[in-house]
Amino acid sequence: MMNSFTDLDDAGVAAAAARAGADVVRDLYGRRLARIDKGGGDFATEADVAAERAILGVLRAARPDDAVLGEEGGRQGAADAARQWLVDPLCGTLNYAVGSMLVAVNVALREGAAAVADPFSGDVFRTDGESAWVRGEGADQRGDGADRRLIPTSASRLVDVNLDPPFPGAPAFRAVDLLARPAFAEHFRPRVVSTTLALAWVAAGKRAAYVTDGGDLSGSVHFAAGIALCRAAGCVVTGIDGAPVGQGGQGLVVAADAETHRLLMTMVRSRE
């Protein structure tokens, strides 16, 4: 069965790998799981490790010459490999550990195809093409045997804001300050999901935008899949400084449309 993965294109491989990880995350949910301390209050669980193992199984079968950068296992494969997969097997580990189902499984080929799986809804959000970092190439949502085109919209007015440390943009930018601005409350309603599943929700029209502090997140195992998905769906994606992600941009401002992005950037840049 594993050999059948070689017949898939990169988008299909990303989706199959994310689904394999999601199956493990769902199967282990609710069990008493050992924790692996990473320091600084961060940790992984047995589910993180097992899900990454399942994802690697698909990637090795489908693309044996590619390298992998995994959240738990680090770099694997040939150092001079031309292609690298970025894997976050369980984004939202703290949510998961306390019994919350708000988690995501992220798989992305660096500057290529990507997929984000929701283990509990069964949905897999995936790019359509192989050059997912090209805005508007297309993305879809697959679940319950049906495919649905991802169409971003700001109609919900819900903006998900990542409040997890570190905060490299402080004091010039702090997400908590953004939420306190009267202009934010006038136009939007804040949400804090604490998982990059929220990026898939922007692509799918369930969120108007997503904002996080950080450095260049284009090569992050946590964010690469969501960035690719949002770009493919046609979202506006920049750093909090307005620079293109991957070209020195800091953090992320991902919006369903240009007007939502403009409003958020006005608030981010204001220090009143």
Side-chain angles (χ1 to χ4, degrees):
M1 176 169 296
M2 296 298 283
N3 289 337
S4 65
F5 293 128
T6 61
D7 297 328
L8 299 174
D9 61 11
D10 287 338
V13 170
R19 188 177 292 110
D23 288 345
V24 172
V25 170
R26 184 176 60 255
D27 290 346
L28 294 179
Y29 178 74
R31 300 188 189 184
R32 186 181 297 275
L33 301 173
R35 297 189 180 188
I36 300 96
D37 182 29
K38 295 183 177 182
D42 192 15
F43 64 90
T45 70
E46 292 176 85
D48 298 67
V49 175
E52 184 165 307
R53 188 182 306 119
I55 293 167
L56 290 176
V58 174
L59 296 179
R60 286 169 177 158
R63 301 291 188 270
D65 296 329
D66 292 355
V68 177
L69 175 60
E71 166 72 1
E72 309 309 330
R75 297 180 184 274
Q76 301 183 46
D80 59 350
R83 301 172 8 128
Q84 183 184 58
W85 293 87
L86 306 171
V87 174
D88 184 356
L90 206 174
C91 185
T93 298
L94 182 55
N95 288 351
Y96 187 79
V98 299
S100 170
M101 295 182 178
L102 292 173
V103 300
V105 177
N106 298 318
V107 179
L109 179 63
R110 188 182 289 271
E111 299 188 13
V116 177
D118 180 339
F120 299 103
S121 72
D123 290 327
V124 177
F125 306 86
R126 50 163 278 176
T127 59
D128 289 343
E130 302 304 288
S131 301
W133 284 66
V134 177
R135 185 182 175 200
E137 184 165 313
D140 59 52
Q141 175 181 343
R142 301 189 174 188
D144 298 324
D147 295 351
R148 183 174 71 85
R149 187 81 167 175
L150 295 185
I151 303 175
T153 173
S154 59
S156 72
R157 299 173 62 197
L158 301 178
V159 175
D160 211 283
V161 181
N162 181 17
L163 300 180
D164 290 337
F167 309 112
F173 171 78
R174 296 194 312 164
V176 67
D177 294 336
L178 177 67
L179 300 185
R181 299 191 190 285
F184 187 93
E186 179 183 350
H187 294 283
F188 304 114
R189 295 293 178 267
R191 291 294 184 272
V192 180
V193 175
S194 296
T195 168
T196 53
L197 180 62
L199 277 169
W201 287 352
V202 178
K206 297 181 180 181
R207 290 286 190 271
Y210 176 90
V211 180
T212 184
D213 199 353
D216 177 6
L217 301 178
S218 61
S220 165
V221 296
H222 307 293
F223 292 95
I227 291 171
L229 190 69
C230 288
R231 275 184 165 162
C235 301
V236 181
V237 181
T238 71
I240 58 174
D241 53 2
V245 176
Q247 299 180 25
Q250 300 294 304
L252 282 175
V253 177
V254 178
D257 53 53
E259 177 59 17
T260 299
H261 186 268
R262 184 192 67 77
L263 285 169
L264 285 169
M265 288 305 304
T266 299
M267 298 174 205
V268 167
R269 288 167 174 158
S270 172
R271 298 185 62 184
E272 296 179 357

